[in-house]
Amino acid sequence: MSLTGKTAIVTGSNSGIGLGIARELARAGADVVLNSFTDRDEDHALAAELSQEFGVNVRYIQADMSRGDDCRALIEQAGACDILVNNAGIQHVAAIEAFPVEKWDAIIAINLTSAFHTTAAALPMMRKAGWGRIVNIASAHGLTASPYKSAYIAAKHGIVGLSKTVALETAEEPITCNAICPGYVLTPLVEAQIPDQMKAHDMDRDTVVREVMLARQPSKEFATVEQIGGTTVFLCSDAATQITGTTISVDGGWTAL
Ligand code: NAD
């Protein structure tokens, strides 16, 4: 699969799944725009490293996905957007009556509303280019629920609905819009939780991963950022031209339960 000549913007891509997706898109030949809200030297160095490794143009653009004007400015500043991956996301866990209002607002803004803004800004560019792919990173929690994650689950169900709507609005054009629904993915953030979980449950690593962290993932294996990146590249391939308005689960069987 060659994405040479395409420009991909991946929101929230200086770590974890977003970085994994950016790497696989660059490996497939796309020029990539990395993003986060941080704007550290390391962010620009990461872009230079990827550019060197894959021989494509990689830039870092700072933009805060909790702010609508920043979301739209990211797309405008990139100047082109053939592939848009809405990945930026945060989480907060609390019972609904104790859920801090500012956390609710931030989760809905970053995990859902940002995709409305970036999509609205990117679609005219895709139409002009005559080709476009929008990939929204939802979650198994875009299709199922768990207690204490009300904002996250509302946002992830919301982004599945947004993906379907954008797919219908672009159905007769060479543009597709889909959502990937990962189960538990082994990112540095998740890896860092393992020692604490081992202590809290007095279990060894394998047992805590199997019995606690992957309790709802029948494969008993984490998904990897490379697999989410590979699924994104597939959705950008010619084979996926008629795949639009749907979800692809990468969850080891979670949603089959
Ligand atoms: P992560 O914390 O490693 O990455 C989140 C990214 O979003 C980072 O690059 C961070 O800089 C960026 N970000 C956060 N707030 C931002 C803001 N205001 N503006 C711009 N960027 C911002 O987490 P991750 O696990 O890689 O998660 C990435 C996406 O995948 C999220 O949408 C998450 O909900 C989803 N997801 C993760 C898992 C998992 O198990 N890790 C499972 C399902 C879905």
Side-chain angles (χ1 to χ4, degrees):
M1 175 66 209
S2 174
L3 296 176
T4 304
K6 307 291 189 202
T7 297
I9 302 176
V10 186
T11 71
S13 48
N14 65 348
S15 76
I17 293 173
L19 179 56
I21 292 170
R23 288 181 59 81
E24 294 311 310
L25 289 169
R27 194 190 305 283
D31 293 327
V32 174
V33 173
L34 298 178
N35 154 262
S36 72
F37 61 95
T38 45
D39 204 20
R40 303 162 305 177
D41 289 346
E42 300 100 276
D43 297 322
H44 295 274
L46 187 59
E49 266 170 46
L50 255 65
S51 176
Q52 174 85 12
E53 185 175 350
F54 298 110
V56 294
N57 187 323
V58 183
R59 288 172 288 159
Y60 171 85
I61 300 179
Q62 188 270 346
D64 183 343
M65 292 298 105
S66 68
R67 298 171 50 96
D69 48 356
D70 269 31
C71 296
R72 288 173 190 257
L74 167 66
I75 308 297
E76 297 305 329
Q77 214 180 315
C81 183
D82 305 298
I83 298 164
L84 170 64
V85 183
N86 288 304
N87 166 78
I90 59 167
Q91 172 67 285
H92 186 79
V93 179
I96 192 150
E97 67 276 22
F99 212 94
V101 173
E102 64 280 8
K103 292 284 184 199
W104 173 278
D105 289 343
I107 290 173
I108 299 297
I110 296 168
N111 298 24
L112 176 59
T113 310
S114 66
F116 155 68
H117 290 294
T118 54
T119 301
L123 272 178
M125 291 181 183
M126 292 177 177
R127 288 189 168 124
K128 203 166 161 207
W131 190 91
R133 294 285 180 269
I134 302 170
V135 179
N136 293 322
I137 306 306
S139 166
H141 280 132
L143 303 168
T144 65
S146 299
Y148 313 122
K149 296 183 177 175
S150 54
Y152 186 84
I153 286 162
K156 294 299 186 183
H157 276 69
I159 204 152
V160 169
L162 178 68
S163 306
K164 292 179 188 175
T165 306
V166 172
L168 292 180
E169 291 186 19
T170 57
E172 293 186 31
E173 302 174 78
I175 296 171
T176 69
C177 179
N178 294 287
I180 297 177
C181 294
Y184 234 127
V185 183
L186 193 55
T187 60
L189 210 75
V190 172
E191 180 71 53
Q193 293 168 22
I194 297 177
D196 287 345
Q197 292 280 9
M198 286 167 64
K199 247 188 246 159
H201 295 273
D202 193 24
M203 290 176 176
D204 63 26
R205 182 188 161 95
D206 284 355
T207 314
V208 89
V209 164
R210 208 184 152 75
E211 306 298 333
V212 179
M213 302 184 78
L214 296 177
R216 290 179 72 178
Q217 201 145 310
S219 66
K220 300 298 173 196
E221 283 187 27
F222 289 109
T224 66
V225 300
E226 290 79 8
Q227 290 161 2
I228 308 301
T231 306
T232 304
V233 171
F234 166 68
L235 285 172
C236 296
S237 72
D238 291 343
T241 299
Q242 284 300 315
I243 299 178
T244 195
T246 193
T247 57
I248 298 190
S249 291
V250 185
D251 66 1
W254 179 326
T255 43
L257 277 174

